[in-house]
Amino acid sequence: MSAPIVGRHYRTGLPIEVRFREERIAAVTELDVTPSAEHLPWLAPGLVDLQVNGGWGLDLNTAPLNPDTVLKLTRMLQKQGVTSYCPTLITNSSDRLAEAASAIAEAVRLNPDASGGIAGIHLEGPFLSPEDGPRGAHPRQYIVPPNWETFSRWQEAAEGLIRIITLSPEWPNATTFIARCCESGILVSIGHTAATPEQIREAVAAGAVMSTHLGNGTHLTLPRHPNYLWEQLAADELYGCMIADGHHLPPSVLAVILRMKRNHAVLVSDAVSLSGMPPGSYRLHIGGDVVLTAEGRLHLAGQPQLLAGSAMMLPEQVGYLVEAGVIGLADAWDCASVNPAGLLGLEQAVGLETGAPADLVSFNMDGGKLSVLQCWKNGRLSPRSNE
């Protein structure tokens, strides 16, 4: 049995102590602390991020991808309280995707930190809409219709690690492809789409279970109704992923998604390599010249109104939702931990309970600023210093 970890339960606010045995939570015990527990840090289950492209200057989509980059990113994320995540590969050539998937698989195969932290690869593309707007920053020359043989090649290179695929169901053979993914245990997410409402419904019927960064990667203008956003909001089967960084979606839209999706609402960082970097001007291999502001807004240098990706990790997004008054701390945290864990079928979905995996985060809240203090993965404290 480990030494006790003392703090406040993120859902009840009551003082508790948590003990580990091996890689499990052995006990969660309420304490009698007087006169108050306000001086104690919060304790919560580990964060789960379904969409991470990079961070701290580390980029999963710059070739060639080194397995050591994957390991470094995994460790940096753990310091931020992210105990499980999906490294995300975006649209690229078939060979480049296979090479990157292989590098992630190698990292998982050779290092226990990577194998413990990586819940599967998220393949965002290349089976997306070719239209400007929905396509976003994904390179047009590599956008192609769904093809099972091509996908199988990437899955073989990934050693079976591809867990989520984002696609647009506007392609003629999309429903057949979606059904085949579901039969193979792969989660299908709708995103970067120009699909009709009928095509969205057909995708859901075929087994699609998620919406990738709902409300983003869309046309600038849409018919009032019907359109593909309403259709995804109305589908109870779909988990709704959202980027809550104060730039991608206004608070009113976040509130609507949260109310519609409830325990199917999920926060994702969709973080690019500049997340965690100081404000300034940068050049990206996708997006070109960009500016990262002190407020965390990442935009094209010549067009400040156009975003160039997300630069805010999950703890900051949880803090933003609370500070903006969109949702309370407990539910905001669940959107970034319990809910995505449930979608992936991870045991962490039970939350901060006896018997759960010993993935734990301690943090402080100062107004809307959330500061991660410590993170345990499988009962082991993540190092605080850079490696």
Side-chain angles (χ1 to χ4, degrees), residues 10-95:
Y10 80 111
R11 292 213 63 89
T12 66
L14 296 174
I16 58 171
E17 70 172 25
V18 179
R19 291 178 180 267
F20 302 147
R21 179 179 287 114
E22 297 177 346
E23 297 183 351
R24 296 278 169 176
I25 295 177
V28 179
T29 308
E30 289 187 11
L31 301 175
D32 182 16
V33 176
T34 55
S36 82
E38 292 182 2
H39 65 285
L40 295 174
W42 296 94
L43 295 177
L47 297 169
V48 178
D49 199 336
L50 303 181
Q51 196 169 1
V52 182
N53 307 283
W56 302 280
L58 304 167
D59 194 342
L60 298 176
N61 290 282
T62 295
L65 177 60
N66 191 309
D68 191 53
T69 298
V70 180
L71 177 58
K72 288 179 180 177
L73 180 62
T74 304
R75 289 173 172 168
M76 290 298 292
L77 286 167
Q78 283 188 10
K79 294 170 191 174
Q80 291 290 308
V82 179
T83 54
S84 298
Y85 80 106
C86 292
T88 302
L89 301 178
I90 68 168
T91 301
N92 211 326
S93 71
S94 182
D95 287 345

Side-chain angles (χ1 to χ4, degrees), residues 151-216:
F151 174 78
S152 296
R153 179 194 171 207
W154 299 328
Q155 184 70 298
E156 182 179 0
E159 300 177 22
L161 275 178
I162 297 176
R163 187 76 177 90
I164 303 173
I165 181 166
T166 292
L167 56 76
S168 172
E170 67 197 70
W171 298 98
N173 64 332
T175 54
T176 301
F177 182 86
I178 291 169
R180 196 157 185 183
C181 284
C182 296
E183 292 169 1
S184 301
I186 298 153
L187 303 176
V188 175
S189 186
I190 298 170
H192 291 282
T193 184
T196 65
E198 292 75 19
Q199 289 169 329
I200 297 292
R201 288 194 292 270
E202 290 169 359
V204 173
V209 294
M210 190 172 105
S211 296
T212 294
H213 47 56
L214 187 58
N216 297 115

